[in-house]
Amino acid sequence: GADSGYADASLSFLASSTCGDSAVKVKKFFGAEPPHLLHQFLNGLGYEYLMKKFEKHKVGMMELPYLTEAQMRQMKIPAGPRMRILHEVQLLRQQQQPVQQHH
């Protein structure tokens, strides 16, 4: 289609944008999300090549916790990355449980 060039342009923009301190200050992983958060997550797992699939289906870090294995299969995510991503999301969700802070 005519908009395939646009997708590539936005991807290179994401790659070139520097991660400033403001992004690091995001309190929750699944909170208000800078667009590169999912990219960092996938990159850390070595799955950055799957980023285009997530973008095509409009899935970001906000949507990731709601993704089922079947939905990821429909998105054409291979079985290995599927299992790993689902597992990592579970771990992240456990870490995001509110923790009582003692002062």
Side-chain angles (χ1 to χ4, degrees):
D3 50 347
S4 63
Y6 168 75
D8 292 341
S10 65
L11 270 178
S12 59
F13 166 73
L14 278 178
S16 65
S17 66
T18 54
C19 306
D21 286 341
S22 58
V24 182
K25 290 188 184 120
V26 175
K27 295 220 170 41
K28 280 205 173 107
F29 212 71
F30 301 118
E33 134 182 44
H36 59 268
L37 212 54
L38 178 64
H39 190 260
Q40 281 180 350
F41 173 78
L42 292 174
N43 202 19
L45 298 175
Y47 298 146
E48 65 273 16
Y49 66 95
L50 294 172
M51 190 69 197
K52 278 196 167 107
K53 293 186 191 294
F54 283 95
E55 286 187 331
K56 179 183 171 195
H57 293 274
K58 304 278 191 285
V59 175
M61 278 322 275
M62 303 275 295
E63 293 75 32
L64 210 55
Y66 305 102
L67 263 190
T68 65
E69 204 261 343
Q71 287 167 326
M72 290 176 86
R73 196 180 303 133
Q74 285 180 326
M75 288 168 62
K76 306 273 192 283
I77 309 279
R82 243 184 2 240
M83 309 295 177
R84 180 98 189 275
I85 289 168
L86 287 168
H87 178 70
E88 293 292 329
V89 168
Q90 284 301 321
L91 292 178
L92 284 170
R93 290 176 75 175
Q94 287 163 19
Q95 289 170 16
Q96 291 306 320
Q97 298 303 320
V99 177
Q100 293 290 323
Q101 293 198 348
H102 301 290
H103 291 292

